[in-house]
Amino acid sequence: MRRNTNARRPEEALLADLRRRLREIADLDAVGAILSWDQATYMPKDGAEARSRQGALISRLSHERMTDIELGRLLDGLAGYAESLPGESDEARLIAVARRDFEKAIKVPVDLVERWSALCSAGYDVWKRARPNDDFAAVRPYLEKQLDLSREYAALFAPYRHIIDPLIDNLDEGLTWDVVQSLFSQLRRQLLPIVEHVCGQPPADDACLHAGFPEAAQVDFSLAVARAFGYDLDRGRLDETAHPFCTKFSAGDVRITTRVRSDDLGDALFSTLHEAGHALYELGVAPELAGTPLGRGTSMGVHESQSRLWENVVGRSLDLWRHFYPALRKSFPSALADVPVETFHRAINKVERSLIRTDSDELTYNLHIIVRCDLEVELLEGRLAVKDLPEAWRGRYRSDLGVSVPDDRNGCMQDVHWYSGAIGGAFQSYTIGNVLSAQFYAAALRAHPEIPQEIAAGEFGILRAWLGQNLYRQGRKFGADESVRRATGEGMTIEPYIAYLREKYGALYGAVPAA
Ligand code: ZN
């Protein structure tokens, strides 16, 4: 064998092998995502059984590749090389992140992955039928199994500081319950006086959103705004579904979905803008990171900050509607002809203590999240039994939201998360997203104070370029905390979010008294 004259060459061959393996894993995951997207959009109902089997097969294949001993050997072989590289280079980060993913994956036995995947599809199926019938008894055994599996999973990562930490780590890598709890208590203290102030006044009249709106025109208009934000139809598409989501098959194919109701203009519009925000993040990741574990958003919380930035901070602002409202009116002349833009703006920012998280406003949303996270911690710690969940839910909605829950359908059965996935680790992302949406936007404004004028002109290039440069490009190269610091100059803080809420709701409801 001819000796390699360049000392780096063998390591470059290893790196190429690593990239090839990682791309195969990414491709398998994308195949799984296509199956799920199809299931949620066009698949006929009777395809469900085979589809869940096919999905489970893809998950297993991907997990096998993720945990392949050869992958571990490659990573060992590259350890020294990684140390010789600049710490912030794409290669060094790729090797570090791939190693972390590998070490995490090998802790999870394949039979747990399969049992879990089967339970999630079965649980989802039962929940879908049981929720309309308000039948908690039907989902209870699935929820009990889900709790057992969530605990079994967490135990694989012992010792941990809190049982929910390994579950949180799945979506918000590096985040812990300690940090979440401290965030929640600060938020609660700051939010309650604003909620009191706003809810003490007559609620906004949102009748203008509930006239009849032809569905096709809603989809067209929503997509037009998403495209103005920068969502590119050469690299994406919009379809209808029951629970809107964004999914990525490759750097050139990031799809969004929406839900349309003829009697609710806000539903299609804001779910489209929300998912477009997720898509802009994914489409903005540097092309050279594609097909690697770095080629996607850094964490669920940061992802959610982008959907909420575009949906709420930009999408529910008066500046934006000063530009787009005439076109909206043109699309729906009979419903909106006599509605001034200020009335429309008030309507899309209506605040109300309510039962349903997904319908709730920016202000009370986090209170819904805090209830869920506290309850899942009680379940995981064994302080709350699944059979007592409905009652505990009612109690917390009474004390935290000030509403009484009439049934489980609008209570603990309203969200799909616990029925189709782990108990613990998902809900905190939404609140982190809210908090970070304002933090990123404030940082963009510091760099470019002209952004509001740009938005009022229906232009978004400066904001999108700033986000692209400071956040999107890096993908998962840096963790969430590091990504936030690099973009905004500090770690996650609630101050910009509270300032944003006080300013926004102060303009609509008069100055908010200090906390
Ligand atoms: Zn989202």
Side-chain angles (χ1 to χ4, degrees), residues 36 40 57 70 72 131 134-135 154 158 189 194 204 220-221 236 251 255-256 275 311 343 345 347 375 441 481 512:
S36 305
L57 171 64
E70 281 305 316
R131 189 187 170 207
D134 193 36
D135 187 0
R189 201 168 52 243
I194 314 180
D220 289 349
F221 184 84
R255 301 188 188 187
I256 59 175
E275 302 309 334
E311 175 199 352
T343 305
H345 177 244
L375 290 176
Y441 186 73
D481 185 54
V512 181

Side-chain angles (χ1 to χ4, degrees), residues 96-371:
V97 170
R99 167 158 292 279
R100 190 184 188 276
D101 288 351
F102 173 75
E103 281 171 1
K104 200 165 157 177
I106 54 171
K107 288 208 164 107
V108 188
V110 70
D111 86 284
L112 174 62
V113 175
E114 281 175 327
R115 278 185 292 136
W116 213 347
S117 159
L119 177 66
C120 291
S121 351
Y124 174 71
D125 229 45
V126 172
W127 169 81
K128 220 168 51 180
R129 281 177 281 118
R131 189 187 170 207
N133 302 324
D134 193 36
D135 187 0
F136 184 74
V139 291
R140 189 182 138 187
Y142 292 89
L143 211 49
E144 282 166 347
K145 277 190 209 124
Q146 194 62 253
L147 182 58
D148 288 344
L149 281 184
S150 304
R151 283 201 186 113
E152 186 181 335
Y153 176 84
L156 300 171
F157 296 89
Y160 39 67
R161 196 166 153 77
H162 192 279
I163 185 168
I164 201 172
D165 286 350
L167 295 156
I168 291 178
D169 193 81
N170 279 341
L171 293 179
D172 286 309
E173 199 174 307
L175 187 70
T176 62
W177 179 238
D178 279 351
V179 174
V180 173
Q181 246 184 330
S182 129
L183 175 82
F184 283 178
S185 71
Q186 294 173 50
L187 261 182
R188 195 199 288 267
R189 201 168 52 243
Q190 298 283 340
L191 280 174
L192 288 179
I194 314 180
V195 173
E196 292 283 314
H197 174 70
V198 173
C199 290
Q201 301 186 39
D205 178 2
D206 64 351
C208 64
L209 303 177
H210 300 286
F213 297 95
E215 297 190 359
Q218 288 193 53
V219 174
D220 289 349
F221 184 84
S222 306
L223 186 57
V225 181
R227 293 181 71 183
F229 284 177
Y231 184 56
D232 173 4
L233 290 186
D234 287 336
R235 304 167 70 203
R237 54 177 287 134
L238 173 67
D239 295 275
E240 288 182 40
T241 189
H243 303 281
F245 59 94
C246 167
T247 185
K248 182 180 200 172
F249 305 150
S250 70
D253 191 350
V254 178
R255 301 188 188 187
I256 59 175
T257 56
T258 193
R259 174 179 55 202
V260 197
R261 294 188 203 155
S262 64
D263 63 348
D264 185 354
L265 180 61
D267 207 5
L269 181 56
F270 292 107
S271 57
T272 304
L273 302 188
H274 179 99
E275 302 309 334
H278 282 300
L280 289 177
Y281 189 4
E282 288 299 330
L283 289 168
V285 174
E288 55 274 23
L289 303 180
T292 80
L294 308 185
R296 57 183 156 96
T298 188
S299 75
M300 195 57 94
V302 174
H303 233 296
E304 206 55 29
S305 78
Q306 294 315 297
S307 56
R308 276 148 206 268
L309 187 154
W310 290 101
E311 175 199 352
N312 292 333
V313 182
V314 177
R316 292 181 202 265
S317 69
L318 190 54
D319 284 335
L320 177 110
W321 289 106
R322 289 214 189 279
H323 176 82
F324 281 105
Y325 195 63
L328 184 69
R329 232 180 197 167
K330 222 174 188 169
S331 296
F332 306 104
S334 60
L336 298 175
D338 300 325
V339 179
V341 64
E342 291 80 9
T343 305
F344 174 78
H345 177 244
R346 255 181 114 76
I348 59 173
N349 288 292
K350 180 180 181 176
V351 175
E352 173 172 53
R353 299 179 201 268
S354 64
L355 285 173
I356 305 292
R357 172 186 64 91
T358 52
D359 296 341
S360 69
D361 51 85
E362 282 183 79
L363 208 44
T364 58
Y365 192 97
N366 301 298
L367 304 177
H368 292 263
I369 295 300
I370 294 173
V371 167

